[in-house]
Amino acid sequence: MDNMQEKFPIVDEEGTVIGEATRGECHNGSRLLHPVVHMHVFNAQGDVYLQKRPEWKDIQPGKWDTAVGGHIDYGEAPEEALHREVREELGITDFTPTFIGKYVFESQRERELVYVNRTTYDGEIKPSKDELDGGRFWTMQEIREAMGKDVLTPNFEREFKRFFLSLLMIFCLAVSPSWSQTKNTEVLLETTAGNIRIALYDETPLTRDNFLKITKMGIYDSLLIHRVIKDFMIQSGDTNSKHAKPGQLLGTGDFDYTTEAEFRLPQIFHRRGVVAMAREGDRENPERRSSACQFYIVWGKIFNDIQIAKVQERIDSATQGTVKLTPEMIEVYKTVGGTPHLDGQYTVFGEVVEGMDVVEAIQKVETDKNDRPLEDIRILKATVTKDLPAPPKPVRKTRGTTRRKP
């Protein structure tokens, strides 16, 4: 049984200790923020080890959870707690952890500051008989199929999607090879909220080339992320936003040209993490041509079957029934999330490959009535970090001695 008198540190959201409380006090709905460590253990094949929580646990008994999870004791550093918990729960001592981020988890019973780590380990695992009801490696397919079915802890599901979204997408691409995109170019957005790295799709060459051109011109440097809608997307590229005053209405700044729409369904669609171009509405823009420089990054939400059916009706109305969500697309929207109602209407041309935690944080900020963040979030600099290969130089022919015939 858990010791309800065990002392935990009370911290602020940065992890600074501001007090102490017992386990019982932290788990009684007091919402005292206390730190915990999590370790996600992968093997060389990319499978994920999950522990099964004992039935006597006071929270989420009997469910499958992150390989290692435990509280940080009062006076203990996160790194010390991580090594202690991994040793106690799995019997592993020879591992190299990688810290990948922290976030605040809240439920009706508790509020935790979670330090998230990962490691790759192919040695022997000896789950504690006192702490766990065993454990095993799960494939990506097993995890995907178990999500939302009360098999996994809600905390694990949210955390795995948050930090390992790309792994779920890699699995989806593996089972449906026609979805794979070629990505030979990348752009790094350095923002006041953190870095976001974007890979551009070769399947949308017009949009890709224009985005690279605008980036190289320095247009995105110092622009605001001027439009944010929670559980939907974040948007930037308004050329009027560089020197915008607080509260100024934004969204109209652009260049005097548009680019041709490049819809690539069902291979490329509005799943969470993709990047797409904004545009004017259908009445002014029936060809759905893209803005020259305004773009958005999709966050979206996870859908159930009833919601998907309603979204399909909305898509049918907007596209005269020409765009249909495939079973593979629906599965992604049900497990990873996105904004399916935009499919076939806005050009998706890339995806975030690093910095989805930054995107998530931005989409949660407070905004005014026009969806502009109350505190400015700015792209400090946009840089092309992987460019297209330079075209080959023309080969100069040398003069030969053979006579040309008429």
Side-chain angles (χ1 to χ4, degrees):
M1 294 290 291
D2 287 328
N3 178 7
M4 303 307 287
Q5 298 304 312
E6 185 179 4
K7 288 293 182 70
F8 295 154
I10 304 304
V11 298
D12 61 20
E13 293 192 5
E14 295 302 315
T16 303
V17 178
I18 57 176
E20 64 177 82
T22 65
R23 177 190 290 267
E25 290 170 332
C26 290
H27 289 180
N28 67 1
S30 64
R31 301 179 64 77
L32 293 171
L33 184 63
H34 55 287
V36 300
V37 289
H38 285 182
M39 173 67 86
H40 295 268
V41 178
F42 295 80
N43 62 18
Q45 289 73 44
D47 301 328
V48 185
Y49 190 90
L50 300 184
Q51 61 155 274
K52 189 172 185 183
R53 295 177 64 82
E55 295 293 342
W56 51 261
K57 283 286 186 181
D58 61 323
I59 295 177
Q60 301 294 332
K63 293 186 180 180
W64 291 89
D65 201 2
T66 307
V68 175
H71 292 85
I72 298 175
D73 291 337
Y74 188 76
E76 189 176 37
E79 297 80 9
E80 295 173 327
L82 180 67
H83 280 83
R84 173 180 55 78
E85 289 288 346
V86 173
R87 182 181 67 252
E88 291 176 355
E89 294 191 359
L90 300 184
I92 299 174
T93 57
D94 55 334
F95 68 97
T96 302
T98 299
F99 174 70
I100 57 176
K102 65 178 184 289
Y103 69 98
V104 175
F105 169 75
E106 301 184 45
S107 68
Q108 293 182 343
R109 295 194 58 182
E110 62 180 339
R111 189 164 177 255
E112 298 176 335
L113 179 64
V114 185
Y115 289 82
V116 184
N117 302 266
R118 67 165 294 170
T119 192
T120 300
Y121 187 79
D122 284 306
E124 184 180 6
I125 297 178
K126 299 178 180 179
S128 169
K129 295 180 180 179
D130 296 330
E131 294 284 335
L132 312 175
D133 274 354
R136 67 175 179 88
F137 281 100
W138 290 53
T139 65
M140 284 296 125
Q141 180 175 0
E142 288 177 314
I143 290 176
R144 187 187 67 161
E145 292 175 349
M147 282 187 171
K149 297 181 180 178
D150 208 32
V151 174
L152 311 171
T153 65
N155 192 6
F156 169 78
E157 291 189 5
R158 282 190 289 265
E159 184 171 300
F160 199 79
K161 291 173 185 175
R162 176 174 185 164
F163 290 100
F164 304 108
L165 172 68
S166 60
L167 296 179
L168 282 174
M169 288 311 306
I170 287 171
F171 169 76
C172 291
L173 295 176
V175 299
S176 184
S178 62
W179 291 12
S180 59
Q181 294 91 39
T182 307
K183 302 178 284 289
N184 291 313
T185 51
E186 290 186 0
V187 170
L188 175 65
L189 304 179
E190 300 174 66
T191 83
T192 53
N195 291 350
I196 302 170
R197 189 179 299 275
I198 297 170
L200 311 184
Y201 298 148
D202 289 350
E203 288 81 358
T204 52
L206 301 178
T207 313
R208 175 202 64 197
D209 291 353
N210 181 71
F211 194 79
L212 291 171
K213 178 186 75 173
I214 295 293
T215 300
K216 293 175 184 177
M217 291 170 62
I219 300 300
Y220 291 128
D221 298 354
S222 297
L223 296 191
L224 295 178
I225 295 177
H226 67 273
R227 184 169 179 244
V228 171
I229 301 178
K230 189 176 185 295
D231 294 329
F232 182 31
M233 58 90 226
I234 66 174
Q235 183 172 335
S236 186
D238 184 335
T239 53
N240 295 332
S241 69
K242 182 176 291 189
H243 304 295
K245 297 178 180 179
Q248 178 181 333
L249 179 63
L250 296 170
T252 59
D254 208 337
F255 289 103
D256 60 356
Y257 70 91
T258 58
T259 58
E260 182 180 337
E262 294 181 290
F263 305 141
R264 300 292 183 262
L265 294 171
Q267 292 83 6
I268 300 174
F269 55 98
H270 277 80
R271 59 177 173 81
R272 179 170 292 173
V274 299
V275 188
M277 295 306 295
R279 64 173 178 81
E280 291 188 339
D282 290 355
R283 181 173 297 179
E284 303 84 3
N285 179 25
E287 294 181 353
R288 293 169 174 163
R289 295 176 65 89
S290 296
S291 161
C293 57
Q294 290 203 33
F295 67 96
Y296 59 93
I297 301 175
V298 171
W299 183 257
K301 65 179 184 179
I302 292 173
F303 291 77
N304 59 34
D305 288 326
I306 295 176
Q307 293 169 325
I308 287 290
K310 292 181 179 179
V311 168
Q312 184 63 68
E313 292 177 0
R314 183 175 175 181
I315 295 174
D316 288 343
S317 176
T319 67
Q320 292 74 51
T322 59
V323 174
K324 300 294 182 182
L325 302 178
T326 66
E328 293 82 7
M329 293 166 67
I330 290 171
E331 186 63 26
V332 172
Y333 286 130
K334 290 168 60 177
T335 56
V336 176
T339 56
H341 65 283
L342 301 180
D343 283 335
Q345 300 159 75
Y346 292 78
T347 295
V348 177
F349 68 97
E351 65 183 69
V352 174
V353 294
E354 180 182 316
M356 278 302 289
D357 56 327
V358 178
V359 176
E360 181 182 22
I362 294 174
Q363 62 94 29
K364 290 181 178 178
V365 301
E366 292 187 31
T367 59
D368 63 18
K369 63 180 181 180
N370 296 312
D371 302 319
R372 177 176 168 180
L374 296 179
E375 296 186 12
D376 285 348
I377 304 170
R378 194 175 297 276
I379 297 175
L380 300 172
K381 186 172 183 58
T383 308
V384 176
T385 55
K386 286 179 64 177
D387 203 353
L388 293 169
K393 294 182 179 180
V395 178
R396 183 179 179 181
K397 293 184 178 180
T398 57
R399 186 183 300 273
T401 58
T402 303
R403 294 180 61 185
R404 294 181 180 273
K405 296 182 179 181

